[in-house]
Amino acid sequence: MAPALSDLGGTVQTAYRAMARAFAQAKFETPQSDARFLLQGLLQRPAADIVLGEEIPLTADEIIRLQAAVRRRLASEPVSRILGLRSFYGRDFIITPDVLDPRPDTETVIDAALELARSIDVPADQLRIADIGVGSGAILLTLLAKLPQARGVGTDVSPGALAVARRNAERLGLADRLELVETDVLDGVGGVLHIVVSNPPYIASGDIQMLSEDVRRYDPRLALDGGPDGLATYRKISSNIKKLYPDTAVAVEVGAGQAETVKGLLVSALEGRGKVESRLWKDFGGHIRCVTVKRHS
């Protein structure tokens, strides 16, 4: 049960305390952070106002909006979903039910792709990056922001996801360097691609029911389900990249225990037309999160 309207009190700080207490009782891992971020996002106030705002009154409308947010959070809906925004690599991205909620671990793919970009012998204004399963655009748009002369193409089978990526591109001022294509993997995408990135669906179909409730209920299944063994999209990617520009480099996110298998698929796809280098990248938690493969013609 969400706290009653009276329990939220009449100020920002009393609401913060009541919300943090409710989230702690619900056994959430970060009750205070959840309360603070919800209050910041819904009230558009700085963090200092949230924890020190004893004298900042709440309007009746604000209390009603906070109450609705508390009910949603207590139903395990992530804070980012409630606010419709996720911070990723220093930028805020719109998220909707059509797209995966990007996690901090995925920032490893950014680091890996930027390293690949530095190693590629191509003029900065000719660099072209493709993102398979672009979703919200978090990966591709971050790379375009960090590589201000590069161009990108994002593919997705979901029209709703492509619409979200377009909105984020427009908000970030990157739409003029972005092409979005409704397709599976890279089917129908022409031209030279120097870097291919992806955070594909990699959960085995039978394991989805064991995911945490906030993922299972609120992330689109299309962005989670990687087929019977979780590797279906990696096989498609491997098949597609055989036809690419000889020096194409690839950076993909992987799930637990998948790195060596995925590396093998990608290396096999690129072999035979030059030397192939591969690398495994760890996330902040020390888990292997990304595989990169690069071919030299």
Side-chain angles (χ1 to χ4, degrees):
M1 291 289 292
L5 290 178
S6 59
D7 291 336
L8 286 179
T11 71
V12 170
Q13 193 179 58
T14 57
Y16 168 67
R17 290 172 178 168
M19 292 166 67
R21 183 166 58 250
F23 298 156
Q25 291 171 353
K27 309 295 186 186
F28 293 150
E29 291 184 4
T30 55
Q32 293 176 323
S33 295
D34 289 357
R36 177 165 56 85
F37 286 131
L38 278 174
L39 282 160
Q40 283 182 254
L42 293 170
L43 303 181
Q44 293 296 292
R45 288 188 174 275
D49 283 358
I50 306 305
V51 296
L52 302 173
E54 192 69 60
E55 303 303 321
I56 301 175
L58 291 170
T59 67
D61 178 67
E62 287 173 335
I63 292 176
I64 291 171
R65 286 192 288 121
L66 290 173
Q67 189 73 351
V70 170
R71 284 193 291 269
R72 291 172 68 179
R73 183 68 190 110
L74 291 177
S76 297
E77 187 170 356
V79 171
S80 53
R81 292 277 180 201
I82 297 170
L83 297 177
L85 285 175
R86 164 65 80 170
S87 179
F88 181 84
Y89 218 89
R91 292 172 178 80
D92 287 337
F93 289 85
I94 295 168
I95 59 171
T96 75
D98 289 303
V99 300
L100 193 73
D101 185 353
R103 273 62 170 189
D105 290 340
T106 300
E107 294 184 354
T108 309
V109 178
I110 302 296
D111 294 332
L114 290 174
E115 178 73 18
L116 290 174
R118 285 189 289 269
S119 71
I120 290 174
D121 185 19
V122 61
D125 62 351
Q126 294 181 28
L127 184 66
R128 190 163 180 250
I129 305 167
D131 185 355
I132 294 169
V134 69
S136 66
I139 294 175
L140 182 56
L141 294 174
T142 298
L143 291 173
L144 293 183
K146 300 291 287 184
L147 301 165
Q149 296 184 72
R151 303 189 67 83
V153 54
T155 72
D156 210 296
V157 296
S158 166
L162 293 171
V164 175
R166 173 62 63 187
R167 288 175 64 192
N168 280 317
E170 291 170 351
R171 285 178 71 249
L172 296 170
L174 299 169
D176 62 332
R177 291 191 284 126
L178 175 70
E179 176 188 1
L180 295 172
V181 183
E182 184 181 343
T183 191
D184 188 22
V185 192
L186 293 171
D187 290 349
V189 175
V192 172
L193 296 173
H194 301 100
I195 301 174
V196 174
V197 297
S198 184
N199 177 16
Y202 55 70
I203 308 298
S205 303
D207 293 342
I208 290 179
Q209 62 185 350
M210 296 183 287
L211 296 173
S212 60
E213 190 175 6
D214 60 328
V215 175
R216 187 179 69 251
R217 288 182 59 187
Y218 297 103
D219 276 331
R221 187 180 180 101
L222 192 63
L224 299 173
D225 193 339
D229 62 357
L231 300 172
T233 305
Y234 295 112
R235 294 190 181 94
K236 290 182 180 180
I237 293 172
S238 298
S239 176
N240 270 231
I241 63 175
K242 290 179 181 179
K243 313 163 191 173
L244 295 180
Y245 176 67
D247 291 343
T248 297
V250 182
V252 295
E253 180 167 334
V254 293
Q258 295 177 325
E260 290 296 338
T261 301
V262 171
K263 183 180 78 172
L265 288 169
L266 297 174
V267 169
S268 295
L270 295 180
E271 282 180 330
R273 295 170 63 186
K275 180 182 177 182
V276 178
E277 299 176 0
S278 63
R279 178 177 170 185
L280 306 182
W281 295 70
K282 292 183 178 180
D283 60 25
F284 295 119
H287 306 103
I288 296 175
R289 184 63 54 184
C290 178
V291 174
T292 58
V293 176
K294 180 181 177 182
R295 180 174 58 193
H296 302 276
S297 57

